[in-house]
Each structure stands twice: as structure tokens, then as C-alpha cells.
Amino acid sequence: MPNVPAYFLRLSPTRFRATSGVEGAWNPAEQHIAPALGLIAHLIEREHRARRDDGMQLARVSYDILGVMPIDVMDTAVRVLRPGRTVELVEAVLSHDERPAVIARAWWMQRADTTALAGSDLPPMPPRQTLPEWNAGEVWPGRFVTTVQTRRRQERPGRAWSWLRPMVDLVEGEDVSPTARTLGTVDILNGVTVRVMPEQAVFPNIDLTVHLFREPAFVSPEDTWIGADTTVSFGPSGMGLTHTVLHDGLGPIGTVDQALTVRPR
């Protein structure tokens, strides 16, 4: 277990302090955005539960990343944009020093019993035990990548299957749902199977969108593995895309897409 209590410490209902566990991969003096995206999901869920108890579920969360953040104190705000009985749209903003750094919009959806219709033709993941352990620190600097246990099988640069398990609490002393834990990990996927090494080009993502057709389910609080079937694509004019099919131990649950700005060094 990494020697860090959590990625964030709560200072007030809307203010948090980042710890050294969020040190970024592009610049260790800045936050890796992955834990911050999980924090936003956690706050969206808490705000929703405080208002209503009808068991709606998150179907989509889309994050726009407006800039980098130092490892410092952050402020948060959540508001309802479109209330509704069957669907609801909310917005969350994460800021540092009064400057918005991430804006997220999330769709909540009414539950219905579709057990008889459930199914997916997305291909299965290789069993976790068949994938060798992989040390992301051999490619990336920063402490965050060392806080996620990773098993990976790479077919070629830009194409891999991986199982990931965060080993640090998201917010110190707070219970966090499997959905928020998953969303607090998935931004790392842009770095699990790089097409080119970071010394050749930078390719940060400017957004991240998660679509879910099933809520993540963890076998136990200790077994929080997230499966990722990831493909990275670069275009000829500086644009890129990291596309991932997400899995838990029961099968596929949804997708993650990250738009990349690709800049040769």
C-alpha cells in the first residue's frame, strides 16, 4: 500500500486538499486529473442522494478539462441543470483559486427492470490472473501511477488489455461507491498503452466521457479491480483518441473516450 492516506482530504462541505498521491504523470508538480474526476463523481452522487431517494443511476458523465491544477486546495460546486422524474442533468465544477479547472455534466436515469433484455456483444476481457504485472512508473513519473496496481497484456503499442486496482482511498474517511472509484481511475488509461513514448510526443487528454450501461460491481471492498480493453489512435493533424471498453469481474459495463491533443516534441 502506498504511504499516502488518500488522494484528497475534506476541509469543508465544498473544499478539499489534494495530497501527494495525486502527483501527475506529465508534471509531478501538478495533479493527475484521474483522482479529481473521481472526486467530482463522488460529490455528484452525494448531492443527488441528499435531494432524492428514488435510486436513480448515473448513465453518463462527461468531463471537460480546462487546465492543470497544482497539488493544493480545491473548491467544488454542484447544481441541477435539468430536473426530472425519469432523467436529470447536473453540472459540477472543480476550481483552484477561483479558476475553473474541470467542468462535468452527468445524466441520471430512472431504474427499470430490464433483466430479461440485458446483454452485450462486447468481447470479454482476459482473466486477470493471466495478465502479467506492469509497473507504470517505468514509463511515467509522478506518484499517482504508483498508487494503482496494474496487470497488463499489450498486443502492440496503442493496444492492450489491463486490469487496474486503486490502492489509495479517494477521500479520507469517506465511503465511495464503485462508480466513483472507477471514474477516479479511468483517466490513467491514456497512459497504459502508449503509441509513442512521452519523450517523443506529448498527448494529454482534454476531456473524458464515460457511458455506463451497468453499474460497476466489486466483489468485495478489497477486490476493486477495473478491466480495460484499450485502443489508442493518432490522426495526421494533431488529434488523437483513447477508447476503452470498461469491465468489472462480471463483464463489460460501458466505455471511456478521451480526446487527445498530440504534440511532437
Side-chain angles (χ1 to χ4, degrees), residues 196-208:
V196 298
M197 296 298 287
E199 295 80 12
Q200 297 174 261
V202 296
F203 41 92
N205 54 303
I206 59 173
D207 77 342
L208 184 146

Side-chain angles (χ1 to χ4, degrees), residues 5-19 38-47 49-50 72-78 94 169-176 180:
Y7 296 126
F8 300 105
L9 309 177
R10 183 184 286 274
L11 304 180
S12 77
T14 60
R15 177 166 280 201
F16 298 82
R17 180 180 295 279
T19 72
L39 175 65
I40 291 171
H42 177 55
L43 298 178
I44 287 172
E45 289 182 325
R46 285 173 65 101
E47 189 277 338
R49 290 195 299 267
D72 198 359
V73 175
M74 303 172 302
D75 293 293
T76 63
V78 182
L94 183 70
D169 290 341
L170 185 62
V171 181
E172 186 179 42
E174 298 188 15
D175 291 332
V176 174

Side-chain angles (χ1 to χ4, degrees), residues 16 56 104-105 112 139 145 150 158 185 195 201 204-205 211 219 229 260:
F16 298 82
M56 296 181 85
R105 288 190 170 187
V139 177
V145 298
T150 306
T185 307
R195 291 191 64 83
N205 54 303
H211 285 94
V219 176
D229 181 345
L260 315 180

Side-chain angles (χ1 to χ4, degrees), residues 60 88 92 94 100 130 142 147-148 178 207 240 244:
R60 189 215 73 182
E88 180 177 86
L94 183 70
T130 66
T147 69
V148 180
D207 77 342
T244 299

Side-chain angles (χ1 to χ4, degrees), residues 48 52-56 84-85 111:
H48 186 83
R52 51 195 300 175
D53 60 359
D54 50 355
M56 296 181 85
R85 183 177 61 83
R111 292 179 184 270

Side-chain angles (χ1 to χ4, degrees), residues 210-241:
V210 178
H211 285 94
L212 298 174
F213 61 86
R214 178 170 64 80
E215 293 177 311
F218 295 148
V219 176
S220 71
E222 295 76 31
D223 187 1
T224 54
W225 289 93
I226 301 156
D229 181 345
T230 300
T231 303
V232 181
S233 303
F234 290 172
S237 61
M239 294 190 295
L241 174 68

Side-chain angles (χ1 to χ4, degrees), residues 151-190:
R151 303 182 73 94
R152 187 193 72 164
R153 186 171 82 209
Q154 180 167 260
E155 182 176 341
R156 57 187 174 274
R159 182 75 183 95
W161 297 266
S162 56
W163 285 96
L164 308 105
R165 182 171 70 120
M167 298 182 290
V168 171
D169 290 341
L170 185 62
V171 181
E172 186 179 42
E174 298 188 15
D175 291 332
V176 174
S177 74
T179 296
R181 287 294 281 173
T182 299
L183 270 58
T185 307
V186 294
D187 188 75
I188 201 174
L189 296 171
N190 187 38

